Tab-separated table of all heavy atoms in Angstrom:
chain	number	residue	atom	x	y	z
A	128	ARG	N	-75.717	5.906	25.983
A	128	ARG	CA	-76.090	7.263	26.282
A	128	ARG	C	-76.346	7.543	27.731
A	128	ARG	O	-75.841	8.576	28.319
A	128	ARG	CB	-77.299	7.671	25.489
A	128	ARG	CG	-77.087	7.666	23.951
A	128	ARG	CD	-78.314	8.240	23.194
A	128	ARG	NE	-78.478	9.697	23.513
A	128	ARG	CZ	-79.600	10.296	23.841
A	128	ARG	NH1	-80.730	9.582	23.895
A	128	ARG	NH2	-79.647	11.569	24.031
A	129	ARG	N	-76.936	6.550	28.387
A	129	ARG	CA	-77.151	6.653	29.850
A	129	ARG	C	-75.803	6.637	30.550
A	129	ARG	O	-75.610	7.414	31.512
A	129	ARG	CB	-78.026	5.454	30.350
A	129	ARG	CG	-78.349	5.595	31.876
A	129	ARG	CD	-79.261	4.391	32.215
A	129	ARG	NE	-78.563	3.044	31.982
A	129	ARG	CZ	-79.053	1.907	32.317
A	129	ARG	NH1	-80.233	1.868	32.927
A	129	ARG	NH2	-78.420	0.834	32.070
A	130	MET	N	-74.952	5.757	30.146
A	130	MET	CA	-73.597	5.657	30.707
A	130	MET	C	-72.875	6.889	30.620
A	130	MET	O	-72.209	7.413	31.509
A	130	MET	CB	-72.785	4.505	30.056
A	130	MET	CG	-73.356	3.112	30.497
A	130	MET	SD	-72.587	1.833	29.491
A	130	MET	CE	-70.811	2.012	29.853
A	131	LEU	N	-72.964	7.571	29.445
A	131	LEU	CA	-72.230	8.843	29.172
A	131	LEU	C	-72.687	9.979	30.064
A	131	LEU	O	-71.879	10.667	30.622
A	131	LEU	CB	-72.314	9.206	27.647
A	131	LEU	CG	-71.611	10.469	27.222
A	131	LEU	CD1	-70.119	10.465	27.655
A	131	LEU	CD2	-71.636	10.689	25.741
A	132	VAL	N	-74.028	10.067	30.228
A	132	VAL	CA	-74.553	11.042	30.998
A	132	VAL	C	-74.157	10.857	32.508
A	132	VAL	O	-73.754	11.880	33.161
A	132	VAL	CB	-76.150	11.070	30.997
A	132	VAL	CG1	-76.785	11.919	32.146
A	132	VAL	CG2	-76.670	11.579	29.669
A	133	GLN	N	-74.151	9.672	32.904
A	133	GLN	CA	-73.742	9.392	34.264
A	133	GLN	C	-72.245	9.631	34.627
A	133	GLN	O	-71.834	10.055	35.625
A	133	GLN	CB	-74.229	7.948	34.691
A	133	GLN	CG	-75.722	7.796	34.768
A	133	GLN	CD	-76.119	6.345	34.999
A	133	GLN	OE1	-75.431	5.390	34.685
A	133	GLN	NE2	-77.383	6.183	35.598
A	134	VAL	N	-71.432	9.271	33.604
A	134	VAL	CA	-69.967	9.459	33.764
A	134	VAL	C	-69.666	10.915	33.750
A	134	VAL	O	-68.775	11.417	34.491
A	134	VAL	CB	-69.112	8.691	32.729
A	134	VAL	CG1	-69.010	9.356	31.451
A	134	VAL	CG2	-67.789	8.365	33.341
A	135	LEU	N	-70.396	11.717	32.978
A	135	LEU	CA	-70.204	13.155	33.007
A	135	LEU	C	-70.621	13.775	34.376
A	135	LEU	O	-70.026	14.636	34.879
A	135	LEU	CB	-70.947	13.829	31.835
A	135	LEU	CG	-70.445	13.615	30.497
A	135	LEU	CD1	-71.481	14.081	29.379
A	135	LEU	CD2	-69.113	14.214	30.221
A	136	THR	N	-71.735	13.257	34.858
A	136	THR	CA	-72.233	13.629	36.225
A	136	THR	C	-71.182	13.268	37.262
A	136	THR	O	-70.935	14.145	38.162
A	136	THR	CB	-73.580	12.963	36.531
A	136	THR	OG1	-74.544	13.274	35.497
A	136	THR	CG2	-74.030	13.358	37.908
A	137	ALA	N	-70.640	12.042	37.095
A	137	ALA	CA	-69.651	11.681	38.053
A	137	ALA	C	-68.450	12.588	38.022
A	137	ALA	O	-67.732	12.889	39.082
A	137	ALA	CB	-69.220	10.177	37.798
A	138	TYR	N	-68.063	12.959	36.877
A	138	TYR	CA	-66.919	13.899	36.615
A	138	TYR	C	-67.140	15.264	37.426
A	138	TYR	O	-66.320	15.627	38.055
A	138	TYR	CB	-66.687	14.105	35.180
A	138	TYR	CG	-65.491	15.005	34.886
A	138	TYR	CD1	-64.280	14.343	34.619
A	138	TYR	CD2	-65.536	16.322	34.882
A	138	TYR	CE1	-62.991	14.989	34.440
A	138	TYR	CE2	-64.300	17.043	34.627
A	138	TYR	CZ	-63.082	16.454	34.411
A	138	TYR	OH	-61.987	17.089	34.230
A	139	VAL	N	-68.268	15.811	37.180
A	139	VAL	CA	-68.595	17.108	37.747
A	139	VAL	C	-68.657	16.986	39.307
A	139	VAL	O	-68.302	17.896	40.054
A	139	VAL	CB	-69.931	17.690	37.181
A	139	VAL	CG1	-70.389	18.858	37.956
A	139	VAL	CG2	-69.721	18.088	35.726
Side-chain angles (χ1 to χ4, degrees):
R128 292 188 69 223
R129 181 180 61 176
M130 288 168 62
L131 182 53
V132 168
Q133 290 175 336
V134 82
L135 290 171
T136 301
Y138 186 91
V139 171

